[in-house]
Structures are given as C-alpha cells and as structure tokens.
Amino acid sequence: MQQERRGFRFEFYDPKEKDPFDKLFDIFKELITHTSGDFDEAINWLRELDKEYKLTTPDYTVDDFIEDLKQRGYIREEFDPESGQDGDGSGDQSGRFSITAKTEQLLRKHALEQIFGNMRKSGAGNHKTGKLGEGDAHSGDFRSYRFGDGLDRISMTESLRNAQINHGMGNFNLTEDDLVVEDTRFKAQMSTVLMIDISHSMILYGEDRITPAKKVAMALAELITTRYPKDTLDILVFGNDAWTIQIADLPYLKVGPYHTNTVAGLQLAMDLLRRKRNTNKQIFMITDGKPSCLRLKDGRYYKNSNGLDEYIVEKCYTMAAQARRLHIPITTFMIANDPYLQQFVDEFTEANQGKAFYTGLKGLGEMIFRDYDANRRRRIK
C-alpha cells in the first residue's frame, strides 16, 4: 500500500481567547499601581475603559470581576464597626475593598516581568568579584590539583583527558598529576539603598513620574528577594524630610506637597549602609528636580525653589564627598533634561566619583537593572 505523503501546513496564527478574568486582571494591575493602591479609583477607571473599549460582556461584567477578585484572595472587604455593618457583610451598606498582601507581591512580580523580562531564580544570591578561589561561581579557568582541594572541585572530563594523553588507552591509569581543578570565584554580597524623590515636581507638567519610579522599586525588590536573597535592599523616600518605607508599602507610594531635601535622603541612606556588614554598598537615587530644601539644626526648614541655591548645593556636594570616603558610590538617575540641573548632577557625580544617567521614564527600569547587574560583577572599593 502506498503511503500518503504529508507536508507542512501553514495557517494564520489564531491566539486563544484570554479568560475574561485574566483579560481584566492585566488591566487592573496597571490601574491599581497608577492609583497607588486605591481600589475604588482603579475600578472607576476600569468601568470607564469598559465603556469605551467594550472590555466586558453581558455574561461577565466588572461586578463579576470584583467578585472573582474577592474569591481568589486578591482583595478583602473591610467594614467600619461604627457604621453598624456586621462582620458577614449582611448589613445595608457595603464595605470598602482593599488589596491584599497576595496582590502586593503579584504587583512586584508583574513589575519585574515588565521591566526585566522573565528571569530564572537562583539560590546563590551573591555577587561575583574578580578574585579566584573556593567560591561557587564557575570561572572556566582550570589548574592542577593541589593538596586540600575538595573532590567536588575536580573536573572529571579534563582529568580523564589528561590520563588518556599521559598514559594511553591500553594501560589506563589516573594519577594525582592528571587531576585538574576548575577555579571558582568568590562572591560578595551587595547592600543597596534606593532613594525615590516624592517631591511635588514628580507629578507636575502633566507627566506621571512617580509611577515608573514605583515600578522600578517593586521590580528591584522582587529581583533581589528572589534571585539574590543574601543581598539587602532598603528603600527610602525624600521630600522635605527622608524616611524609609517597607517593600509592602510600594504600591501605595504617592508624592506630597514637598520640596526636595536631597541631603536628608543621602544622610539616611549612609546611616543605613553604615550598619551593613557587606563590603559592597551602593546608593541608587531617582530624582527629577533640583535640591531645594534643607532642615536646619534648630528644626526649621530652609527652602528655595528659585534656581540652584548655592548653600543647598554645597551641602549636597559635601554629602557626595562623604559617601566617597565611605566607599559608597552613588548612581543618580536624572529624569529631567534641564541643562543647569544636568550641570549640578555632573558636579555631584564628580564629587562622589559615582555615575549619572540622564534618562527618560521609558528606559529607567532597564538602565537601573543593567547598572545593578554590572556592579554585582565587580568589587566596589
């Protein structure tokens, strides 16, 4: 019987229709980030988008989506005891919804995938240096076996190859002189402080600068906690003053009616890093404006938003030089393009011997990741 010949059959790609929940959930994750965790505002935006783009159907509405969010543990309903609402939600008034810790973690993962792409998790969690030794990062360099080398360091492939060359196949013999060890590299831990400017200028001129900065912080936090768990990341915000925030606070981060106290942020960052035992320390600073505020010794604030105030600027240069003496490089990510501000950042960077990037919002995350990845490959001195 003659066999039928089969060839390739080409068809247009027909992607599978997304589940209605997943389709809305992708949009919801973006909206809840933009609204700083305000569920009601995010849903209002979703309803407006639904009216314009017909995201839902009569079989699956936004209300069905909210119910699914609740059933899957992404939101929780909170009730005010003073309103007379009972705990099971059976009263006349409905409770207020808020996102859960499960959603907060999912937002960090979503930001990581958006900015850095899908990356494999690694249990090592350390950072390479240029020194060879008994580490756990393969270097690709081989040397002769020395007494005291662990058996797990021996490269069997190279050692057997040497045995064949030295003794021949007829009388195979493996001696100590044939053994080859692959060198590994020491790894160093990294302590990073991420400074985020939350002054009012981060939302001025119709441009939302705080949301990209927030996404970068969430992505960096997820990267470090999953891929480099031995590293440390502290996140602080600075306006008129500076204070630390927890990773769980990131989705709710907002700007305030603040000036820009860069000095307070740098002081807090260096205080945090002084307590770390790691040799490698660094500061990442995301800002869009000039330093315009200082807190004086008597507690009063000295503010000047007109141009670059020489007194404030000199204090910034002093802090940059102090960080340099402590071997703490500062990488500034400037998301503004005013020439006089760039000149300030140039001089600030020179005082610290750090780095500066003048970037738009679009490439901010990729740039921070590349710098973080580059720093972990070398020893910061």
Side-chain angles (χ1 to χ4, degrees), residues 150-314:
L151 296 178
D152 57 328
R153 302 295 179 190
I154 296 175
S155 172
M156 293 307 299
T157 302
E158 294 296 321
S159 299
L160 291 172
R161 177 175 174 272
N162 282 348
Q164 292 175 1
I165 293 172
N166 295 336
H167 309 292
M169 290 296 294
N171 185 23
F172 178 76
N173 191 21
L174 181 66
T175 67
E176 183 177 331
D177 293 335
D178 301 322
L179 298 179
V180 172
V181 172
E182 181 180 6
D183 263 328
T184 52
R185 296 184 184 275
F186 282 112
K187 288 186 176 180
Q189 295 175 337
M190 176 73 75
S191 290
T192 302
V193 173
L194 177 62
M195 297 173 50
I196 302 176
D197 183 351
I198 58 167
S199 61
H200 186 58
S201 60
M202 291 289 277
I203 55 170
L204 280 181
Y205 315 117
E207 187 172 40
D208 177 11
R209 295 168 173 175
I210 190 63
T211 298
K214 188 163 51 177
K215 281 188 177 182
V216 165
M218 288 193 291
L220 194 58
E222 186 69 9
L223 174 74
I224 290 175
T225 54
T226 56
R227 188 171 181 182
Y228 305 114
K230 293 182 182 178
D231 286 5
T232 66
L233 174 66
D234 290 281
I235 302 171
L236 67 86
V237 295
F238 61 105
N240 291 347
D241 294 293
W243 61 94
T244 58
I245 62 173
Q246 300 298 316
I247 291 176
D249 299 330
L250 284 171
Y252 312 101
L253 188 61
K254 298 180 180 179
V255 302
Y258 306 126
H259 286 69
T260 308
N261 192 344
T262 307
V263 170
L266 293 170
Q267 286 174 334
L268 179 55
M270 284 190 279
D271 285 343
L272 291 168
L273 290 174
R274 282 192 190 98
R275 304 170 194 168
K276 308 296 182 185
R277 296 182 180 179
N278 300 343
T279 302
N280 290 349
K281 301 174 182 180
Q282 63 183 353
I283 295 173
F284 286 165
M285 178 167 65
I286 303 174
T287 183
D288 76 325
K290 59 183 177 292
S292 59
C293 176
L294 281 177
R295 189 167 188 176
L296 304 176
K297 291 183 179 179
D298 61 5
R300 291 182 299 114
Y301 292 99
Y302 173 75
K303 302 174 183 177
N304 185 0
S305 298
N306 299 318
L308 285 171
D309 185 286
E310 185 176 351
Y311 177 62
I312 297 175
V313 166
E314 286 300 322

Side-chain angles (χ1 to χ4, degrees), residues 132 137-142 182-185:
L132 296 177
H138 295 287
S139 67
D141 299 325
F142 297 96
E182 181 180 6
D183 263 328
T184 52
R185 296 184 184 275

Side-chain angles (χ1 to χ4, degrees), residues 103-137:
T103 307
E104 293 166 359
Q105 184 178 15
L106 194 66
L107 291 176
R108 296 195 296 270
K109 185 179 178 182
H110 180 62
L112 177 66
E113 291 171 349
Q114 273 190 325
I115 295 173
F116 303 146
N118 294 320
M119 304 179 65
R120 289 189 307 171
K121 297 179 181 179
S122 168
N126 292 322
H127 296 279
K128 298 176 184 176
T129 69
K131 296 200 172 208
L132 296 177
E134 294 183 359
D136 55 358

